[in-house]
Amino acid sequence: MRHWYMLTLVGEDRPGIVAALSRAIYEGGGNLGEASMMRLGGNFTIMMMVDFSGSRSALASLVAPVAESMGLHCHIDRIEGHLHEHRLPDVRITVFGADRAGIVARVTTALSEAGLNILELESDVAGSEDEPVYIMHIEGHAREGYDSVRAAVEVINEEGIEASIEPVDTMIG
Amino acid sequence: MAILDILKVPDPRLKQVSEPVSRFDDELRRFAADLEETMRAGPGGVGIAAPQVGRFQRIVIVDVSSRPNTPNHGLMVLVNPEITAWEGLKVGREGCLSVPDYTGNVIRATRIELTARDLDGNPVEYECVDFEARAVQHEIDHLDGLLFLDRLVSKRNDLFRRKRYK
C-alpha cells in the first residue's frame, strides 16, 4: 500500500542537495510528487510530496544518510495528499516598501478578512542592510469576490504600505 | 459535427510545425466546425489550434466573447494567420487544453495586428488587444510546435529583481 508523505528539509545551502536527496529517494523506491524548493537566507529549504510504499520510519532511514552528509534537518509527516488538485488563483497582489515590523501581519490580516484565500506567497527582503525593502507577492482566490479584496488593498495603501492588486484572468487555449 | 480528441503533453506531435492551408473547400469548413465544437467542449476553452487535434495545418479558432469586459471580435476562424505588428508586453496566466491541470505565467504582446484567410480563402485583417491578443498568440504558437510551457516565466522574478545596469 503506497502513501503520500510530506518531507521538509532545511540546512545551510551547498551544491548537490537536490540531486543527492532525489537520487536516494528514487533508488529506495519512492516517487516525488509536487515540491517547492528554494534558498532562503542562505539556507536551502525543501518541501516535497513523496509517494512511498513503506512506513514513515523506513522512509526516514532512507533519507537520513543524505540529510546527515548534507547537514539538513529532516521532518517527515504522513499526509492525506493528492495530485491534480491545483486551484486557479483569480487575484494577484504585490506589496513593497520600506521594511517594517508587522507588515506581513497587517497585510495578510486585512486580506484574510476580505475573503482572500492565499494559494502562494513569496516574499523577499531586498535593498540593503541600512535600507531594507520588503517585497511580497501573493496569488490567491477571492472567496468574496475581487472588489472585496481590492477594497482591502486600498485600505492598506492608505496606511502607507504600497500594495497593488490585479485580477488573474487565465486564458485556456 | 463532432468533438475531436485533443492531443496532450507529452505527445511529440504537439511539437510539429503545421503546413499552410491551400484548399478552401467543404471539407475544410466541416473540419473547422468540428474544431470549434471541440474548443467549446473543453473546460473554459477560448481558443484552439488544428494541430491540437492532430491536423497539422495552419488553422486556429479564437472566441473570447463570452468573457465580461473583454474587447473582442467574436468568433475568429483564422487560416494561415500571420502577426504583422505587435506592441506592449504583459505577463498573464495561461493554461491549455493540451496541458491539463497546469497553468503558468507567460509574456505576450498586448496589441497585435494580423492577416489571415477566412474559410473561403478571402483575406482578413484583425487588430486584437489584451486577452484576445493573448489567445491568438497562444494558438499561433501551436502552429509552430510551441506550447506555453516553452515560454514560462518565473512568478517570483517577473515583477522585481530587475538587473540594474550602470
Side-chain angles (χ1 to χ4, degrees), chain A residues 34 38-40 83-89 92 94-96 120 122-124 135-137 139 166 168-173, chain B residues 43-47 52 67 90-91 93-97 101 103 105 131 134-135 138-139 142 155-156 158-161:
Chain A
E34 295 169 12
M38 65 175 63
R39 189 179 148 98
L40 295 175
L83 297 179
H84 314 297
E85 297 212 341
H86 289 116
R87 280 198 189 164
L88 275 182
R92 160 202 283 227
T94 56
V95 177
F96 63 98
E120 277 192 38
E122 289 171 335
S123 71
D124 268 303
I135 298 162
M136 180 159 61
H137 177 206
E139 287 187 352
E166 63 175 358
V168 176
D169 292 326
T170 302
M171 197 290 296
I172 308 285
Chain B
V46 296
Q52 286 181 279
R67 298 174 49 83
K90 191 165 192 285
V91 175
R93 201 166 186 104
E94 299 185 16
C96 184
L97 300 171
D101 192 44
T103 61
N105 290 333
F131 197 83
R134 175 171 296 276
H138 175 115
E139 301 313 333
H142 279 299
K155 274 175 295 189
R156 190 175 174 85
D158 60 8
L159 294 172
F160 300 107
R161 296 192 169 203

Tab-separated table of all heavy atoms in Angstrom, chain A residues 34 38-40 83-89 92 94-96 120 122-124 135-137 139 166 168-173, chain B residues 43-47 52 67 90-91 93-97 101 103 105 131 134-135 138-139 142 155-156 158-161:
chain	number	residue	atom	x	y	z
A	34	GLU	N	4.539	16.804	-6.010
A	34	GLU	CA	4.779	18.241	-6.099
A	34	GLU	C	5.804	18.656	-5.055
A	34	GLU	O	5.879	18.066	-3.987
A	34	GLU	CB	3.454	18.994	-5.899
A	34	GLU	CG	2.474	18.711	-7.026
A	34	GLU	CD	1.075	19.222	-6.748
A	34	GLU	OE1	0.907	19.985	-5.784
A	34	GLU	OE2	0.162	18.853	-7.497
A	38	MET	N	13.616	26.166	-2.320
A	38	MET	CA	14.252	27.459	-2.587
A	38	MET	C	15.246	27.835	-1.510
A	38	MET	O	15.245	27.274	-0.422
A	38	MET	CB	13.211	28.556	-2.769
A	38	MET	CG	12.386	28.881	-1.566
A	38	MET	SD	11.319	30.275	-1.911
A	38	MET	CE	10.309	29.592	-3.208
A	39	ARG	N	16.083	28.785	-1.880
A	39	ARG	CA	17.091	29.296	-0.974
A	39	ARG	C	16.488	30.459	-0.199
A	39	ARG	O	15.948	31.402	-0.772
A	39	ARG	CB	18.282	29.767	-1.817
A	39	ARG	CG	19.511	30.127	-1.045
A	39	ARG	CD	20.601	30.550	-2.019
A	39	ARG	NE	21.453	31.554	-1.394
A	39	ARG	CZ	22.621	31.277	-0.819
A	39	ARG	NH1	23.093	30.041	-0.842
A	39	ARG	NH2	23.324	32.223	-0.245
A	40	LEU	N	16.539	30.376	1.109
A	40	LEU	CA	16.018	31.435	1.972
A	40	LEU	C	17.091	31.799	2.984
A	40	LEU	O	17.449	30.979	3.831
A	40	LEU	CB	14.759	30.973	2.722
A	40	LEU	CG	13.504	30.641	1.904
A	40	LEU	CD1	12.403	30.094	2.805
A	40	LEU	CD2	12.999	31.864	1.151
A	83	LEU	N	-2.540	14.395	-5.998
A	83	LEU	CA	-2.078	15.215	-7.118
A	83	LEU	C	-3.299	15.693	-7.908
A	83	LEU	O	-4.415	15.274	-7.658
A	83	LEU	CB	-1.152	14.395	-8.020
A	83	LEU	CG	0.135	13.909	-7.350
A	83	LEU	CD1	0.951	13.080	-8.341
A	83	LEU	CD2	0.962	15.086	-6.847
A	84	HIS	N	-3.051	16.564	-8.868
A	84	HIS	CA	-4.092	17.045	-9.779
A	84	HIS	C	-5.206	17.763	-9.025
A	84	HIS	O	-6.379	17.582	-9.299
A	84	HIS	CB	-4.642	15.886	-10.630
A	84	HIS	CG	-3.535	15.044	-11.194
A	84	HIS	ND1	-2.615	15.558	-12.062
A	84	HIS	CD2	-3.151	13.770	-10.938
A	84	HIS	CE1	-1.735	14.618	-12.358
A	84	HIS	NE2	-2.029	13.538	-11.684
A	85	GLU	N	-4.803	18.532	-8.024
A	85	GLU	CA	-5.776	19.335	-7.286
A	85	GLU	C	-5.370	20.804	-7.291
A	85	GLU	O	-5.583	21.522	-6.318
A	85	GLU	CB	-5.880	18.825	-5.848
A	85	GLU	CG	-6.393	17.419	-5.794
A	85	GLU	CD	-7.206	17.126	-4.563
A	85	GLU	OE1	-7.086	17.884	-3.598
A	85	GLU	OE2	-7.961	16.140	-4.591
A	86	HIS	N	-4.761	21.231	-8.378
A	86	HIS	CA	-4.381	22.639	-8.464
A	86	HIS	C	-5.618	23.514	-8.441
A	86	HIS	O	-6.619	23.204	-9.075
A	86	HIS	CB	-3.612	22.907	-9.763
A	86	HIS	CG	-2.245	22.308	-9.750
A	86	HIS	ND1	-1.865	21.327	-10.617
A	86	HIS	CD2	-1.190	22.546	-8.953
A	86	HIS	CE1	-0.604	20.980	-10.368
A	86	HIS	NE2	-0.174	21.701	-9.355
A	87	ARG	N	-5.525	24.602	-7.712
A	87	ARG	CA	-6.599	25.591	-7.734
A	87	ARG	C	-6.113	26.813	-8.476
A	87	ARG	O	-4.990	27.256	-8.279
A	87	ARG	CB	-6.951	26.011	-6.312
A	87	ARG	CG	-7.824	25.026	-5.645
A	87	ARG	CD	-8.487	25.673	-4.458
A	87	ARG	NE	-9.171	24.653	-3.704
A	87	ARG	CZ	-9.583	24.819	-2.462
A	87	ARG	NH1	-9.335	25.960	-1.838
A	87	ARG	NH2	-10.211	23.858	-1.846
A	88	LEU	N	-6.979	27.358	-9.292
A	88	LEU	CA	-6.605	28.538	-10.059
A	88	LEU	C	-6.714	29.786	-9.201
A	88	LEU	O	-7.759	30.026	-8.598
A	88	LEU	CB	-7.553	28.710	-11.247
A	88	LEU	CG	-7.218	27.942	-12.523
A	88	LEU	CD1	-8.233	28.281	-13.589
A	88	LEU	CD2	-5.825	28.294	-12.996
A	89	PRO	N	-5.662	30.582	-9.145
A	89	PRO	CA	-5.786	31.876	-8.485
A	89	PRO	C	-6.612	32.814	-9.353
A	89	PRO	O	-6.601	32.688	-10.572
A	89	PRO	CB	-4.343	32.368	-8.391
A	89	PRO	CG	-3.645	31.707	-9.521
A	89	PRO	CD	-4.339	30.378	-9.738
A	92	ARG	N	-3.964	38.574	-7.932
A	92	ARG	CA	-2.533	38.649	-7.629
A	92	ARG	C	-2.272	39.980	-6.940
A	92	ARG	O	-2.746	41.029	-7.376
A	92	ARG	CB	-1.756	38.554	-8.933
A	92	ARG	CG	-0.348	39.071	-8.896
A	92	ARG	CD	0.091	39.426	-10.305
A	92	ARG	NE	0.412	38.222	-11.052
A	92	ARG	CZ	1.514	38.091	-11.778
A	92	ARG	NH1	2.380	39.054	-11.873
A	92	ARG	NH2	1.744	36.992	-12.437
A	94	THR	N	0.727	42.445	-5.069
A	94	THR	CA	2.133	42.684	-4.752
A	94	THR	C	2.217	43.819	-3.753
A	94	THR	O	1.434	44.761	-3.795
A	94	THR	CB	2.953	43.050	-6.002
A	94	THR	OG1	2.344	44.174	-6.628
A	94	THR	CG2	3.001	41.916	-6.988
A	95	VAL	N	3.148	43.665	-2.846
A	95	VAL	CA	3.340	44.656	-1.788
A	95	VAL	C	4.815	44.988	-1.756
A	95	VAL	O	5.645	44.080	-1.794
A	95	VAL	CB	2.936	44.074	-0.411
A	95	VAL	CG1	3.202	45.076	0.695
A	95	VAL	CG2	1.477	43.651	-0.417
A	96	PHE	N	5.158	46.251	-1.743
A	96	PHE	CA	6.557	46.554	-1.494
A	96	PHE	C	6.707	47.899	-0.819
A	96	PHE	O	5.819	48.752	-0.883
A	96	PHE	CB	7.416	46.453	-2.748
A	96	PHE	CG	7.070	47.416	-3.840
A	96	PHE	CD1	7.788	48.591	-3.983
A	96	PHE	CD2	6.060	47.137	-4.746
A	96	PHE	CE1	7.497	49.472	-5.013
A	96	PHE	CE2	5.756	48.014	-5.773
A	96	PHE	CZ	6.472	49.189	-5.899
A	120	GLU	N	-0.439	31.017	-2.840
A	120	GLU	CA	1.023	31.098	-2.836
A	120	GLU	C	1.449	32.439	-2.281
A	120	GLU	O	0.835	33.462	-2.598
A	120	GLU	CB	1.577	31.003	-4.263
A	120	GLU	CG	1.714	29.606	-4.765
A	120	GLU	CD	2.521	29.549	-6.059
A	120	GLU	OE1	3.499	30.311	-6.204
A	120	GLU	OE2	2.149	28.753	-6.914
A	122	GLU	N	5.156	34.523	-1.694
A	122	GLU	CA	6.614	34.559	-1.707
A	122	GLU	C	7.028	35.943	-1.270
A	122	GLU	O	6.435	36.936	-1.698
A	122	GLU	CB	7.147	34.303	-3.117
A	122	GLU	CG	6.949	32.875	-3.556
A	122	GLU	CD	7.266	32.686	-5.026
A	122	GLU	OE1	7.182	33.668	-5.781
A	122	GLU	OE2	7.587	31.561	-5.404
A	123	SER	N	8.012	36.014	-0.404
A	123	SER	CA	8.449	37.340	0.000
A	123	SER	C	9.962	37.396	0.087
A	123	SER	O	10.628	36.390	0.290
A	123	SER	CB	7.824	37.740	1.333
A	123	SER	OG	8.379	37.001	2.375
A	124	ASP	N	10.466	38.586	-0.089
A	124	ASP	CA	11.897	38.829	-0.085
A	124	ASP	C	12.174	40.109	0.667
A	124	ASP	O	11.327	40.997	0.721
A	124	ASP	CB	12.413	39.032	-1.516
A	124	ASP	CG	12.882	37.730	-2.126
A	124	ASP	OD1	13.769	37.103	-1.529
A	124	ASP	OD2	12.356	37.355	-3.188
A	135	ILE	N	9.374	42.973	-0.079
A	135	ILE	CA	8.635	42.683	-1.312
A	135	ILE	C	7.846	41.399	-1.105
A	135	ILE	O	8.403	40.383	-0.705
A	135	ILE	CB	9.604	42.493	-2.498
A	135	ILE	CG1	10.396	43.768	-2.759
A	135	ILE	CG2	8.833	42.073	-3.748
A	135	ILE	CD1	11.637	43.537	-3.588
A	136	MET	N	6.574	41.474	-1.346
A	136	MET	CA	5.742	40.286	-1.157
A	136	MET	C	4.858	40.098	-2.377
A	136	MET	O	4.332	41.054	-2.932
A	136	MET	CB	4.885	40.449	0.098
A	136	MET	CG	3.984	39.264	0.393
A	136	MET	SD	3.467	39.197	2.125
A	136	MET	CE	2.593	40.746	2.291
A	137	HIS	N	4.727	38.874	-2.758
A	137	HIS	CA	3.945	38.531	-3.952
A	137	HIS	C	2.973	37.420	-3.563
A	137	HIS	O	3.383	36.361	-3.099
A	137	HIS	CB	4.925	38.078	-5.038
A	137	HIS	CG	4.256	37.631	-6.283
A	137	HIS	ND1	4.809	36.750	-7.154
A	137	HIS	CD2	3.053	37.951	-6.792
A	137	HIS	CE1	3.991	36.538	-8.160
A	137	HIS	NE2	2.917	37.250	-7.969
A	139	GLU	N	-0.543	35.144	-4.628
A	139	GLU	CA	-1.604	34.747	-5.547
A	139	GLU	C	-2.655	34.007	-4.739
A	139	GLU	O	-2.313	33.193	-3.877
A	139	GLU	CB	-1.073	33.855	-6.668
A	139	GLU	CG	-0.252	34.634	-7.676
A	139	GLU	CD	0.147	33.814	-8.883
A	139	GLU	OE1	-0.074	32.587	-8.879
A	139	GLU	OE2	0.677	34.405	-9.821
A	166	GLU	N	-4.252	42.984	-9.007
A	166	GLU	CA	-4.810	42.840	-10.344
A	166	GLU	C	-5.460	41.474	-10.458
A	166	GLU	O	-5.037	40.515	-9.809
A	166	GLU	CB	-3.749	43.045	-11.431
A	166	GLU	CG	-2.648	42.040	-11.419
A	166	GLU	CD	-1.692	42.206	-12.596
A	166	GLU	OE1	-1.923	43.082	-13.435
A	166	GLU	OE2	-0.729	41.443	-12.673
A	168	VAL	N	-6.295	37.886	-11.977
A	168	VAL	CA	-5.599	36.893	-12.791
A	168	VAL	C	-6.649	36.262	-13.705
A	168	VAL	O	-7.541	35.558	-13.239
A	168	VAL	CB	-4.948	35.804	-11.914
A	168	VAL	CG1	-4.323	34.723	-12.780
A	168	VAL	CG2	-3.901	36.411	-10.994
A	169	ASP	N	-6.568	36.597	-14.981
A	169	ASP	CA	-7.502	36.040	-15.960
A	169	ASP	C	-6.785	34.936	-16.706
A	169	ASP	O	-5.967	35.218	-17.569
A	169	ASP	CB	-7.938	37.115	-16.962
A	169	ASP	CG	-8.799	38.168	-16.309
A	169	ASP	OD1	-9.553	37.804	-15.386
A	169	ASP	OD2	-8.706	39.342	-16.710
A	170	THR	N	-7.070	33.726	-16.372
A	170	THR	CA	-6.360	32.631	-17.024
A	170	THR	C	-6.969	32.346	-18.390
A	170	THR	O	-8.168	32.164	-18.515
A	170	THR	CB	-6.413	31.370	-16.152
A	170	THR	OG1	-5.835	31.682	-14.883
A	170	THR	CG2	-5.625	30.233	-16.791
A	171	MET	N	-6.103	32.360	-19.387
A	171	MET	CA	-6.525	32.116	-20.768
A	171	MET	C	-6.284	30.634	-21.067
A	171	MET	O	-5.148	30.166	-21.011
A	171	MET	CB	-5.694	33.003	-21.697
A	171	MET	CG	-6.245	33.190	-23.095
A	171	MET	SD	-6.169	31.727	-24.125
A	171	MET	CE	-4.398	31.518	-24.223
A	172	ILE	N	-7.335	29.902	-21.354
A	172	ILE	CA	-7.187	28.481	-21.672
A	172	ILE	C	-7.367	28.300	-23.175
A	172	ILE	O	-8.434	28.583	-23.717
A	172	ILE	CB	-8.252	27.626	-20.941
A	172	ILE	CG1	-8.258	27.928	-19.436
A	172	ILE	CG2	-8.027	26.142	-21.226
A	172	ILE	CD1	-7.110	27.350	-18.677
A	173	GLY	N	-6.327	27.866	-23.838
A	173	GLY	CA	-6.414	27.747	-25.290
A	173	GLY	C	-5.711	26.533	-25.828
A	173	GLY	O	-5.234	25.710	-25.114
B	43	PRO	N	-12.998	22.558	-21.059
B	43	PRO	CA	-13.313	23.388	-19.905
B	43	PRO	C	-12.705	24.780	-20.023
B	43	PRO	O	-11.483	24.933	-19.982
B	43	PRO	CB	-12.706	22.609	-18.728
B	43	PRO	CG	-11.685	21.703	-19.340
B	43	PRO	CD	-12.109	21.450	-20.752
B	44	GLY	N	-13.551	25.776	-20.230
B	44	GLY	CA	-13.071	27.155	-20.270
B	44	GLY	C	-12.292	27.538	-21.497
B	44	GLY	O	-11.662	28.586	-21.532
B	45	GLY	N	-12.343	26.705	-22.529
B	45	GLY	CA	-11.516	26.966	-23.703
B	45	GLY	C	-11.990	28.162	-24.507
B	45	GLY	O	-13.163	28.240	-24.858
B	46	VAL	N	-11.083	29.094	-24.796
B	46	VAL	CA	-11.419	30.261	-25.616
B	46	VAL	C	-10.637	30.248	-26.928
B	46	VAL	O	-10.745	31.176	-27.716
B	46	VAL	CB	-11.156	31.589	-24.877
B	46	VAL	CG1	-12.066	31.714	-23.670
B	46	VAL	CG2	-9.696	31.720	-24.478
B	47	GLY	N	-9.845	29.197	-27.142
B	47	GLY	CA	-9.089	29.098	-28.378
B	47	GLY	C	-8.652	27.667	-28.608
B	47	GLY	O	-8.608	26.855	-27.672
B	52	GLN	N	-3.697	20.713	-32.336
B	52	GLN	CA	-4.098	20.129	-31.055
B	52	GLN	C	-5.011	18.921	-31.234
B	52	GLN	O	-5.175	18.134	-30.299
B	52	GLN	CB	-4.823	21.177	-30.182
B	52	GLN	CG	-3.888	22.218	-29.583
B	52	GLN	CD	-4.660	23.195	-28.708
B	52	GLN	OE1	-5.263	24.130	-29.214
B	52	GLN	NE2	-4.646	22.964	-27.408
B	67	ARG	N	-16.483	36.343	-22.299
B	67	ARG	CA	-15.905	36.935	-21.099
B	67	ARG	C	-16.389	38.380	-20.924
B	67	ARG	O	-16.455	39.134	-21.883
B	67	ARG	CB	-14.386	36.933	-21.182
B	67	ARG	CG	-13.801	35.540	-21.269
B	67	ARG	CD	-12.328	35.654	-21.489
B	67	ARG	NE	-11.783	36.587	-20.522
B	67	ARG	CZ	-11.454	36.276	-19.289
B	67	ARG	NH1	-11.603	35.045	-18.864
B	67	ARG	NH2	-10.972	37.176	-18.467
B	90	LYS	N	3.083	42.033	-21.613
B	90	LYS	CA	2.453	41.864	-20.308
B	90	LYS	C	2.500	40.396	-19.903
B	90	LYS	O	2.350	39.504	-20.737
B	90	LYS	CB	0.990	42.329	-20.374
B	90	LYS	CG	0.333	42.453	-19.014
B	90	LYS	CD	-0.969	43.249	-19.113
B	90	LYS	CE	-1.496	43.640	-17.741
B	90	LYS	NZ	-2.100	42.539	-17.002
B	91	VAL	N	2.720	40.193	-18.620
B	91	VAL	CA	2.656	38.834	-18.077
B	91	VAL	C	1.197	38.474	-17.827
B	91	VAL	O	0.431	39.282	-17.312
B	91	VAL	CB	3.428	38.741	-16.749
B	91	VAL	CG1	3.269	37.355	-16.123
B	91	VAL	CG2	4.896	39.050	-16.948
B	93	ARG	N	-1.610	34.814	-17.177
B	93	ARG	CA	-1.645	33.393	-16.861
B	93	ARG	C	-2.333	32.624	-17.985
B	93	ARG	O	-3.357	33.044	-18.492
B	93	ARG	CB	-2.382	33.178	-15.552
B	93	ARG	CG	-2.038	31.863	-14.893
B	93	ARG	CD	-2.526	31.872	-13.472
B	93	ARG	NE	-2.097	30.703	-12.769
B	93	ARG	CZ	-1.113	30.704	-11.880
B	93	ARG	NH1	-0.463	31.795	-11.604
B	93	ARG	NH2	-0.792	29.592	-11.260
B	94	GLU	N	-1.747	31.499	-18.329
B	94	GLU	CA	-2.311	30.679	-19.397
B	94	GLU	C	-2.402	29.212	-18.990
B	94	GLU	O	-1.617	28.727	-18.196
B	94	GLU	CB	-1.444	30.793	-20.672
B	94	GLU	CG	-1.372	32.205	-21.209
B	94	GLU	CD	-0.622	32.323	-22.516
B	94	GLU	OE1	-0.395	31.298	-23.189
B	94	GLU	OE2	-0.265	33.474	-22.864
B	95	GLY	N	-3.383	28.572	-19.552
B	95	GLY	CA	-3.489	27.125	-19.495
B	95	GLY	C	-3.741	26.644	-20.903
B	95	GLY	O	-3.795	27.447	-21.839
B	96	CYS	N	-3.891	25.336	-21.065
B	96	CYS	CA	-4.000	24.800	-22.422
B	96	CYS	C	-4.799	23.512	-22.383
B	96	CYS	O	-4.633	22.707	-21.472
B	96	CYS	CB	-2.594	24.539	-22.969
B	96	CYS	SG	-2.563	23.977	-24.668
B	97	LEU	N	-5.660	23.332	-23.386
B	97	LEU	CA	-6.425	22.091	-23.468
B	97	LEU	C	-5.488	20.884	-23.604
B	97	LEU	O	-5.852	19.777	-23.236
B	97	LEU	CB	-7.384	22.146	-24.667
B	97	LEU	CG	-8.416	23.288	-24.634
B	97	LEU	CD1	-9.152	23.368	-25.962
B	97	LEU	CD2	-9.387	23.121	-23.480
B	101	ASP	N	-4.500	20.467	-16.007
B	101	ASP	CA	-4.143	20.680	-14.603
B	101	ASP	C	-2.836	21.439	-14.423
B	101	ASP	O	-2.065	21.148	-13.516
B	101	ASP	CB	-4.067	19.343	-13.851
B	101	ASP	CG	-3.987	19.548	-12.336
B	101	ASP	OD1	-4.736	20.392	-11.815
B	101	ASP	OD2	-3.150	18.878	-11.684
B	103	THR	N	-1.261	25.624	-14.998
B	103	THR	CA	-1.285	26.960	-15.586
B	103	THR	C	0.024	27.647	-15.241
B	103	THR	O	0.677	27.292	-14.273
B	103	THR	CB	-2.462	27.819	-15.057
B	103	THR	OG1	-2.319	27.986	-13.650
B	103	THR	CG2	-3.799	27.179	-15.369
B	105	ASN	N	2.617	31.481	-16.012
B	105	ASN	CA	2.708	32.858	-16.475
B	105	ASN	C	3.562	32.958	-17.727
B	105	ASN	O	4.637	32.370	-17.801
B	105	ASN	CB	3.290	33.750	-15.374
B	105	ASN	CG	2.312	33.925	-14.233
B	105	ASN	OD1	1.104	33.847	-14.425
B	105	ASN	ND2	2.833	34.138	-13.043
B	131	PHE	N	-6.623	40.336	-23.766
B	131	PHE	CA	-6.915	38.903	-23.615
B	131	PHE	C	-7.060	38.209	-24.974
B	131	PHE	O	-6.563	37.100	-25.181
B	131	PHE	CB	-8.198	38.754	-22.788
B	131	PHE	CG	-8.419	37.398	-22.219
B	131	PHE	CD1	-7.795	37.023	-21.030
B	131	PHE	CD2	-9.248	36.494	-22.851
B	131	PHE	CE1	-8.003	35.769	-20.490
B	131	PHE	CE2	-9.462	35.234	-22.313
B	131	PHE	CZ	-8.845	34.871	-21.142
B	134	ARG	N	-3.710	37.811	-26.498
B	134	ARG	CA	-3.002	36.704	-25.832
B	134	ARG	C	-3.464	35.362	-26.409
B	134	ARG	O	-2.644	34.482	-26.725
B	134	ARG	CB	-3.271	36.764	-24.320
B	134	ARG	CG	-2.708	35.610	-23.513
B	134	ARG	CD	-2.833	35.878	-22.016
B	134	ARG	NE	-2.036	37.038	-21.622
B	134	ARG	CZ	-0.735	36.990	-21.336
B	134	ARG	NH1	-0.089	35.843	-21.354
B	134	ARG	NH2	-0.075	38.080	-21.011
B	135	ALA	N	-4.777	35.202	-26.550
B	135	ALA	CA	-5.310	33.931	-27.050
B	135	ALA	C	-4.798	33.650	-28.463
B	135	ALA	O	-4.389	32.528	-28.778
B	135	ALA	CB	-6.839	33.962	-27.018
B	138	HIS	N	-1.152	32.576	-28.349
B	138	HIS	CA	-1.049	31.219	-27.806
B	138	HIS	C	-1.383	30.189	-28.898
B	138	HIS	O	-0.674	29.195	-29.061
B	138	HIS	CB	-2.010	31.099	-26.612
B	138	HIS	CG	-2.109	29.737	-26.004
B	138	HIS	ND1	-1.688	29.467	-24.719
B	138	HIS	CD2	-2.604	28.568	-26.482
B	138	HIS	CE1	-1.913	28.191	-24.445
B	138	HIS	NE2	-2.474	27.622	-25.501
B	139	GLU	N	-2.455	30.464	-29.662
B	139	GLU	CA	-2.884	29.489	-30.681
B	139	GLU	C	-1.912	29.448	-31.853
B	139	GLU	O	-1.610	28.376	-32.382
B	139	GLU	CB	-4.294	29.811	-31.172
B	139	GLU	CG	-5.371	29.811	-30.095
B	139	GLU	CD	-5.335	28.606	-29.176
B	139	GLU	OE1	-4.862	27.532	-29.596
B	139	GLU	OE2	-5.759	28.740	-28.008
B	142	HIS	N	0.939	27.204	-31.355
B	142	HIS	CA	0.705	25.779	-31.628
B	142	HIS	C	1.063	25.421	-33.070
B	142	HIS	O	1.522	24.311	-33.345
B	142	HIS	CB	-0.776	25.430	-31.391
B	142	HIS	CG	-1.140	25.205	-29.957
B	142	HIS	ND1	-0.580	24.211	-29.192
B	142	HIS	CD2	-2.037	25.833	-29.151
B	142	HIS	CE1	-1.115	24.234	-27.971
B	142	HIS	NE2	-1.993	25.215	-27.915
B	155	LYS	N	7.185	33.204	-11.642
B	155	LYS	CA	6.307	34.112	-10.926
B	155	LYS	C	7.108	34.968	-9.954
B	155	LYS	O	6.791	36.109	-9.710
B	155	LYS	CB	5.292	33.303	-10.122
B	155	LYS	CG	4.084	32.925	-10.906
B	155	LYS	CD	3.195	32.044	-10.091
B	155	LYS	CE	3.883	30.729	-9.788
B	155	LYS	NZ	3.018	29.750	-9.171
B	156	ARG	N	8.122	34.359	-9.391
B	156	ARG	CA	8.873	35.039	-8.349
B	156	ARG	C	9.648	36.235	-8.896
B	156	ARG	O	9.815	37.227	-8.222
B	156	ARG	CB	9.838	34.048	-7.700
B	156	ARG	CG	10.496	34.551	-6.450
B	156	ARG	CD	11.324	33.434	-5.843
B	156	ARG	NE	12.104	33.904	-4.706
B	156	ARG	CZ	11.649	33.992	-3.480
B	156	ARG	NH1	10.417	33.679	-3.220
B	156	ARG	NH2	12.426	34.403	-2.500
B	158	ASP	N	9.219	37.805	-12.096
B	158	ASP	CA	8.796	38.529	-13.290
B	158	ASP	C	8.525	40.006	-13.016
B	158	ASP	O	8.484	40.797	-13.923
B	158	ASP	CB	7.588	37.860	-13.952
B	158	ASP	CG	6.378	37.775	-13.049
B	158	ASP	OD1	6.412	38.365	-11.972
B	158	ASP	OD2	5.412	37.115	-13.442
B	159	LEU	N	8.321	40.375	-11.778
B	159	LEU	CA	7.980	41.756	-11.485
B	159	LEU	C	9.124	42.551	-10.898
B	159	LEU	O	9.203	43.751	-11.054
B	159	LEU	CB	6.815	41.796	-10.487
B	159	LEU	CG	5.508	41.241	-11.029
B	159	LEU	CD1	4.492	41.147	-9.918
B	159	LEU	CD2	4.986	42.133	-12.126
B	160	PHE	N	9.984	41.854	-10.185
B	160	PHE	CA	11.012	42.570	-9.441
B	160	PHE	C	12.385	42.035	-9.802
B	160	PHE	O	12.534	41.316	-10.764
B	160	PHE	CB	10.748	42.411	-7.946
B	160	PHE	CG	9.417	42.945	-7.560
B	160	PHE	CD1	8.385	42.093	-7.242
B	160	PHE	CD2	9.184	44.301	-7.579
B	160	PHE	CE1	7.143	42.591	-6.908
B	160	PHE	CE2	7.944	44.806	-7.247
B	160	PHE	CZ	6.921	43.943	-6.910
B	161	ARG	N	13.341	42.416	-9.004
B	161	ARG	CA	14.703	41.930	-9.194
B	161	ARG	C	15.212	42.234	-10.584
B	161	ARG	O	15.939	41.455	-11.173
B	161	ARG	CB	14.785	40.434	-8.971
B	161	ARG	CG	14.458	40.059	-7.559
B	161	ARG	CD	14.838	38.646	-7.338
B	161	ARG	NE	14.770	38.335	-5.922
B	161	ARG	CZ	15.431	37.365	-5.358
B	161	ARG	NH1	16.234	36.624	-6.075
B	161	ARG	NH2	15.320	37.135	-4.081
